[in-house]
Amino acid sequence: MKNTALSATHEALGAKMVPFAGFNMPVQYEGVNAEHETVRNGVGVFDVSHMGEFLIEGEHALDLIQKVSSNDASKLTVGKAQYSCLPNDNGGIVDDLIVYKIKEQTYLLVVNASNIDKDWNWIQSKNDTGATMRNLSDDYSLLAIQGPQAIEAMQSLTSHDLSAIKFYNFVVGDFAGIDNVIISATGYTGSGGFEIYCKNEDVKQVWDKVFEAGADFGIKPIGLAARDTLRLEMGYCLYGNDINDTTSPIEAGLGWITKFTKDFTNSEALEEEKRRGPKRKLVAFELDERGIPRQGYDIVDANGNKIGEVTSGTMSPSLNKGIGLGYVPTTLTNVDNKINIQIRKNAVPATIVKLPFYKG
């Protein structure tokens, strides 16, 4: 089991630690609902240093990224980031990721912790033009400072105007007394804020200063359980749940990051699937009655026939009702359509809704 540079800090704070993607990670501190509320209304900090970071450099860096990713990275300018995915050869997804253009011919790819080795090997297998690849995953830490008060709470820690960094933009500069920190206006919560990339040896200083600066704003550490409820309220896909090696970006509702203005892995087949229309689609649903949908529960029709499966589900702390995502046949995906979630012996009625669940 790997530790992040802050594992001992979390343990000292009384976090409940669990194994996640091979790392010893804080799943919660005071409790999911309280932590969720902190991020929705104030400011909270996640240690997500388990995420993977690859540096792709050289004159063929963009060629490689364009070949392996679904989005059009040629549109990136220095200081901009882009959500994308790595399609496989069979219509599925190797991983979803964020691509940062650090400078001309230098890109940072941020990938899911559980897929670091898989992604590295996949991208390397497609690197036939000699782009320089470096796996920085073991050297870098990542803090997500999220919530509507993040800008105000963190402004004293940097000379950069945080309010000027637009969504999916970033700067490289000073933060918490450390130079060359990536300050990125990204996140997985839907409540605004930043993600801070720094070297492992600097992250304890950054963490401490973040909590000093945020003290007047009631800043709190947040665990992975609340990260999941926050992302699900926004309808953000989680790799391993809502997308995987067998789900296509088209059926997962990721057509907006799948650009057929260029060739990329399996692009012809995916373009044909988009033209034809996928047989099934990922939908969002809310339970009409009490209950908590969970990953793997069957989605059934009025006659009890299985029509799909829940990929993510929870009790939404903001809406106080059961919410979830799941795949159903395309003919049944209209908003307001009625479906049922099989929760043990009960087929609990649910309604298909438009994302996000949390309107803010």
Side-chain angles (χ1 to χ4, degrees), residues 43 153-154 208-220:
V43 58
M154 294 299 110
D208 289 344
K209 287 195 180 295
V210 161
F211 277 87
E212 283 169 30
D216 290 346
F217 297 86
I219 199 166
K220 288 179 180 171

Side-chain angles (χ1 to χ4, degrees), residues 92 138 183 314:
D138 289 339
I183 308 167
T314 194

